[in-house]
Amino acid sequence: MISDINFKGLLSIVIPAFNEQEVLPTFHERLATVLDALTIDAEILYVNDGSRDGTLEVMKILRAHDKRVAILDLSRNFGKEIAMTAGLEHARGDAVVVIDADLQDPPELIPELVKHWQQGWDMVYAQRIERRGETMVKKFTAYWFYRFMQRVGRRVHIPENVGDFRLLSRRAVDSLLQLREQHRFMKGLFAWIGFPQIGVPYQRDPRFAGRSTWDYWRLWNFALDGITSFTTTPLKWASYLGLITAFFSFAYGSIIVLQKLLYGNPVKGYPSLMVVVLFLGGIQLIFLGIIGEYLGRMFDETKRRPLYFVSSFDSPHQNSHAQGKSAMELDRE
Ligand code: UDP
Ligand code: MG
């Protein structure tokens, strides 16, 4: 493991910002204070996500006063997930911290994140202990959302009470950037790449200034994104529901035919009509289910995710592809 002292390297801080002109100066001041106290060099990458206020101008002023600042200006508002991805792609650091601009994520936690990274963790996420300034409804919906995701996404564990505030090692960043899907459900993607991950508890503060761009409609869409980009479970339900309904249609159709043959039916045309309706309905449901199964597979294929990431590869025939081992570590083996 790497020791604290003499630790060389670059730490990138990625900050997606959309209409944050009021908070940015305060944010930068607090961040700079924290970074000054660290021994490791830092790069501060502000991502302007098509702000409609003076955010970009504020960034430029900060840039003029602080050599560590870099500005990535997107052509329009793409949403936080994309802004964050763009930032990760342009960050040069050996470790990258993603943090909100609105001071809900305390920059003072960064040294703690860095410490864990230096101890060998690839993903250090900040975990809220308490949600201050948030409504009961938001807490409640968040709780159920995680419960649901836990049930459907069996292998990938998405930690609770965790936002995007976290530190990623270089190999975690490189892995994450290989996931190119359009609907970027970041909480899921962060968890999906694997590698040693650990949580650091903290208190999340209410928004400092400006207002949250999240309303319930967006929250709902966010949940939908999470469910539909990480599971084909709803599609599976549709298949089984279709099969079961089709089974009952066929059973009922047979009963009508038998009744007609044994006792006759006083209503003319009813048995044949009913049998045709049930038969067609049943056939359609079965085929919808089959289409659903294919659709689910296509959905998985179109994401074009890598199949796996390797944490380390230990073989007597190490070739130039082997990576991630320092001379010191090899010595010890
Ligand atoms: N953000 C962004 N693009 C957007 C919306 C938000 O880059 O379209 C940034 C925003 O400036 C902030 C972070 O994402 O730094 C979190 O946004 P917000 O505080 O609105 O979300 P919440 O804290 O409610 O999750
Ligand atoms: Mg916020």
Side-chain angles (χ1 to χ4, degrees):
M1 259 165 227
I2 311 154
S3 76
D4 241 77
I5 334 130
N6 295 329
F7 186 78
K8 290 272 180 307
L10 181 70
L11 175 72
S12 295
I13 315 288
V14 167
I15 309 112
F18 174 60
N19 297 346
E20 302 282 8
Q21 60 176 15
E22 289 102 352
V23 260
L24 269 189
T26 322
F27 170 82
H28 187 80
E29 208 179 291
R30 271 176 64 180
L31 178 67
T33 313
V34 169
L35 295 181
D36 289 341
L38 287 178
T39 47
I40 181 171
D41 287 337
E43 161 192 67
I44 305 171
L45 178 54
Y46 286 110
V47 183
N48 178 31
D49 185 19
S51 300
R52 294 187 250 291
D53 64 356
T55 299
L56 183 63
E57 283 66 42
V58 175
M59 286 177 182
K60 284 179 178 160
I61 295 170
L62 296 174
R63 166 103 186 76
H65 289 92
D66 192 333
K67 283 202 300 289
R68 294 171 293 190
V69 172
I71 303 171
L72 183 65
D73 187 25
L74 300 184
S75 61
R76 64 167 168 88
N77 178 252
F78 283 95
K80 186 188 177 187
E81 278 69 35
I82 309 272
M84 207 154 64
T85 307
L88 285 171
E89 208 148 27
H90 287 79
R92 295 173 301 123
D94 301 296
V96 183
V97 168
V98 182
I99 184 170
D100 282 3
D102 59 5
L103 287 173
Q104 278 189 292
D105 307 331
E108 289 74 22
L109 195 70
I110 293 177
E112 189 70 16
L113 303 181
V114 172
K115 198 180 87 193
H116 283 84
W117 166 58
Q118 290 173 341
Q119 285 167 357
W121 297 93
D122 282 278
M123 173 96 59
V124 191
Y125 49 82
Q127 197 157 25
R128 299 183 284 271
I129 344 183
E130 192 191 316
R131 298 172 149 226
R132 270 189 284 172
E134 268 175 15
T135 60
M136 283 298 288
V137 188
K138 196 166 175 183
K139 280 185 212 173
F140 182 78
T141 44
Y143 173 78
W144 281 104
F145 176 67
Y146 287 113
R147 284 290 296 272
F148 180 78
M149 287 307 284
Q150 218 48 74
R151 288 192 79 94
V152 292
R154 276 182 205 96
R155 270 189 219 97
V156 180
H157 170 76
I158 299 180
E160 247 173 276
N161 287 335
V162 169
D164 297 322
F165 184 24
R166 61 184 68 222
L167 178 146
L168 289 84
S169 70
R170 177 40 58 188
R171 65 174 183 177
V173 173
D174 290 342
S175 304
L176 189 77
L177 290 175
Q178 285 186 47
L179 310 184
R180 303 305 300 181
E181 52 216 73
Q182 288 283 324
H183 288 266
R184 302 190 74 75
F185 179 64
M186 295 306 284
K187 280 185 218 293
L189 299 185
F190 283 137
W192 192 86
I193 60 168
F195 295 119
Q197 310 202 350
I198 193 173
V200 171
Y202 80 111
Q203 299 265 358
R204 184 164 168 95
D205 297 321
R207 218 172 199 291
F208 178 81
R211 54 180 223 96
S212 171
T213 46
W214 290 93
D215 49 34
Y216 284 104
W217 176 242
R218 281 189 59 173
L219 221 53
W220 164 246
N221 278 318
F222 175 74
L224 266 190
D225 245 11
I227 292 162
T228 52
S229 62
F230 264 80
T231 71
T232 49
T233 311
L235 221 49
K236 280 244 148 40
W237 290 343
S239 298
Y240 289 121
L241 205 66
L243 264 182
I244 293 169
T245 321
F247 172 77
F248 282 113
S249 317
F250 290 142
Y252 188 52
S254 317
I255 291 173
I256 291 177
V257 170
L258 277 181
Q259 262 180 347
K260 164 78 183 161
L261 293 179
L262 294 178
Y263 314 108
N265 190 302
V267 187
K268 267 214 167 333
Y270 173 79
S272 52
L273 199 67
M274 207 50 196
V275 166
V276 168
V277 167
L278 288 172
F279 179 74
L280 284 183
I283 292 281
Q284 281 173 0
L285 286 173
I286 287 178
F287 278 94
L288 267 183
I290 294 176
I291 292 174
E293 287 299 313
Y294 279 101
L295 199 67
R297 278 160 186 72
M298 274 172 62
F299 163 83
D300 281 332
E301 295 295 336
T302 47
K303 281 189 289 192
R304 302 213 122 270
R305 284 191 193 164
L307 297 180
Y308 56 83
F309 295 114
V310 174
S311 192
S312 69
F313 178 53
D314 206 358
S315 146
H317 314 291
Q318 295 263 4
N319 53 29
S320 55
H321 293 298
Q323 38 158 281
K325 293 233 160 179
S326 67
M328 209 175 76
E329 275 175 301
L330 288 173
D331 250 357
R332 248 187 280 137
E333 284 164 7

